[in-house]
Amino acid sequence: MERYWNEEIECMSREDMKKLQDERLVKQVKHVYENVPYYRNLMDEKGVTPEDIKSTEDLHKLPFLTKSDLRDAYPYGLLAKPLSECVRIQSTSGTTGRRVVAFYTQNDIDLWEDCCARAITAVGGTNEDVCQVCYGYGLFTGGPGLNGGSHKVGCLTLPMSSGNTERQIQFMRDLQSTILCCTPSYAAYIGETLHDMGYTTDDIKLKAGIFGAEPWTEEMRRSIEKSLGIKAYDIYGLTETSGPGVSFECSEQTGMHINEDHFIPEIINPETEEVLPDGETGELVFTSITKEAFPLLRYRTRDLCVLTRKKCSCGRTLIKMSKPMGRSDDMLIIRGVNVFPSQIETVLIEQGYTPNYLIEVDRVNNTDTLDISVEMNPEQVSGDVRDSEKSLAVAIKTMLGISPKVHLVEPKSITRSEGKAVRVIDRRKLHD
């Protein structure tokens, strides 16, 4: 029996959802225009007034916002409520330039946690569960979002944050955690450490994992499910729109339901900015229609995916987004070929390697070089490494269309991440 956190919303008819979105969008555009001079200037430049926005059909008339706008407006330029009404900030984990700082009223936090509660309920979570939250706490949205959602569902919540993996496993065993929330790369590391400590999936009670904050493949999902004995579910969010819980996977595991009562999605051509129909791949754009303190209209996420309204077996009517296929700004162009790290990861796991790898791109004599270091499994160490490297290089070339240099390295020699994994080092940028 599929459970819902808010069945009235999650199973709402398209007609009623459209009406709700129309009402909230009209109200939000007026709120932003009157209270955010930065966005009002963008609207004025485009010749758009709040009166021009009568329904979601008019959404395309509004200007886009990008991460560069958020940096330009830092720290208070996109704030739509007095600071006296704001109770918290969260910030991105970016390492370059100005960080993005998002503001929250208490109502913003309540709605965000409600979205996370929907995600936890969708994986089978109830007040009988023990939810171990290993996303980072502090400025990063992962920990606070899932922590609050877990409280709303009534789970016993373990606010572990990331790191100290052996202690994570001790608490997981002693307190019989049933739901794990963290990045997929950290989930893989927990599984690896669990087996290194001499335990098996019989020694833990986990049944489900909610993993997000970084791209991961279906192959990695299956690998994590096997190592932890669970079903692994995707969750999606951005600090700019609140955090995790913008969308979440249900039991069907064929994409993430978007919480459309809070976020209106669009797919655009990243080059022409043309709005694309459902079913076409493009860049995901979100408009927040309930956020009070930091409401972003038509925010370009840079994530590439597909939207579908195909009927879902779980009963939810919320539109689905595919797992992001990469980011339009993370895509590597190597020797003129578009390369996403997820493509390489797919090949590695299909060939029986671990999802622990490092991609290094450089430019030598005006030619791009692609070096991929891949960890071997312990049983692979005794084989002919050079033959294996050649074989893997051929498989990657078949996928990408360009030849890499593959370096098979010792197990556990690539640094593990307890937060977002660093998979790519592009040294070409250092020369420009």
Side-chain angles (χ1 to χ4, degrees), residues 365-383:
N365 297 328
N366 297 316
T367 301
D368 292 337
T369 61
L370 173 60
D371 287 76
I372 306 170
S373 298
V374 182
E375 269 188 21
M376 291 180 283
N377 293 310
E379 61 271 18
Q380 293 168 327
V381 175
S382 57

Side-chain angles (χ1 to χ4, degrees), residues 204-419:
I204 56 175
K205 299 291 184 185
L206 285 184
K207 64 179 184 183
I210 299 176
F211 307 132
E214 63 189 22
W216 53 307
T217 59
E218 287 300 317
E219 290 77 17
M220 189 168 183
R221 186 207 298 267
R222 288 192 284 272
S223 174
I224 292 170
E225 288 183 335
K226 185 179 177 185
S227 73
L228 290 174
I230 61 172
K231 278 194 81 172
Y233 298 85
D234 213 342
I235 190 169
Y236 176 89
L238 305 140
T239 301
E240 297 92 321
T241 53
S242 67
V246 170
S247 64
F248 59 91
E249 265 189 329
C250 62
S251 55
E252 196 173 89
Q253 292 180 295
T254 57
M256 291 169 277
H257 289 287
I258 296 170
N259 286 310
E260 291 182 89
D261 52 324
H262 301 298
F263 311 100
I264 301 176
E266 300 172 272
I267 294 287
I268 66 167
N269 180 317
E271 302 298 327
T272 65
E273 299 184 347
E274 168 198 6
V275 178
L276 301 174
D278 291 352
E280 289 203 25
T281 302
E283 181 183 342
L284 185 60
V285 172
F286 276 120
T287 294
S288 298
I289 51 175
T290 54
K291 283 285 293 284
E292 295 178 338
F294 199 68
L296 301 187
L297 306 183
R298 300 199 85 198
Y299 180 68
R300 294 185 59 168
T301 67
R302 300 294 180 186
D303 286 318
L304 301 172
C305 69
V306 175
L307 296 179
T308 177
R309 295 192 185 276
K310 186 181 173 187
K311 189 174 180 181
C312 186
S313 61
C314 77
R316 289 177 179 82
T317 53
L318 300 170
I319 193 171
K320 270 180 170 177
M321 59 178 277
S322 67
K323 185 186 280 290
M325 301 157 188
R327 291 174 59 84
S328 59
D329 56 353
D330 280 357
M331 180 179 75
L332 296 161
I333 301 177
I334 304 172
R335 298 175 218 152
V337 175
N338 296 347
V339 174
F340 291 101
S342 58
Q343 295 173 296
I344 294 170
E345 182 176 300
T346 295
V347 175
L348 298 185
I349 296 177
E350 283 178 347
Q351 296 287 321
Y353 292 91
T354 73
N356 299 307
Y357 60 94
L358 183 66
I359 299 165
E360 297 178 82
V361 187
D362 208 336
R363 185 166 288 144
V364 179
N365 297 328
N366 297 316
T367 301
D368 292 337
T369 61
L370 173 60
D371 287 76
I372 306 170
S373 298
V374 182
E375 269 188 21
M376 291 180 283
N377 293 310
E379 61 271 18
Q380 293 168 327
V381 175
S382 57
D384 188 324
V385 171
R386 276 183 293 188
D387 279 353
S388 298
E389 287 175 338
K390 286 177 187 173
S391 173
L392 189 50
V394 168
I396 292 171
K397 183 184 178 183
T398 302
M399 168 68 84
L400 302 180
I402 56 174
S403 297
K405 280 189 180 174
V406 171
H407 312 277
L408 292 177
V409 298
E410 292 291 316
K412 297 185 175 45
S413 59
I414 294 176
T415 305
R416 297 296 190 270
S417 169
E418 294 169 347

Side-chain angles (χ1 to χ4, degrees), residues 78-137:
L78 288 166
L79 190 60
K81 283 284 187 180
L83 273 179
S84 59
E85 294 184 36
C86 299
V87 298
R88 192 195 296 175
I89 68 152
Q90 301 283 168
S91 180
T92 56
S93 56
T95 55
T96 59
R98 290 174 174 170
R99 282 176 170 264
V100 171
V101 174
F103 298 83
Y104 300 74
T105 64
Q106 186 57 52
N107 186 57
D108 289 336
I109 290 173
D110 290 341
L111 295 181
W112 173 28
E113 292 179 348
D114 194 77
C115 288
C116 291
R118 294 180 194 180
I120 292 168
T121 305
V123 308
T126 71
N127 60 3
E128 300 291 323
D129 281 289
V130 179
C131 188
Q132 185 160 336
V133 183
C134 311
Y135 285 109
Y137 281 68

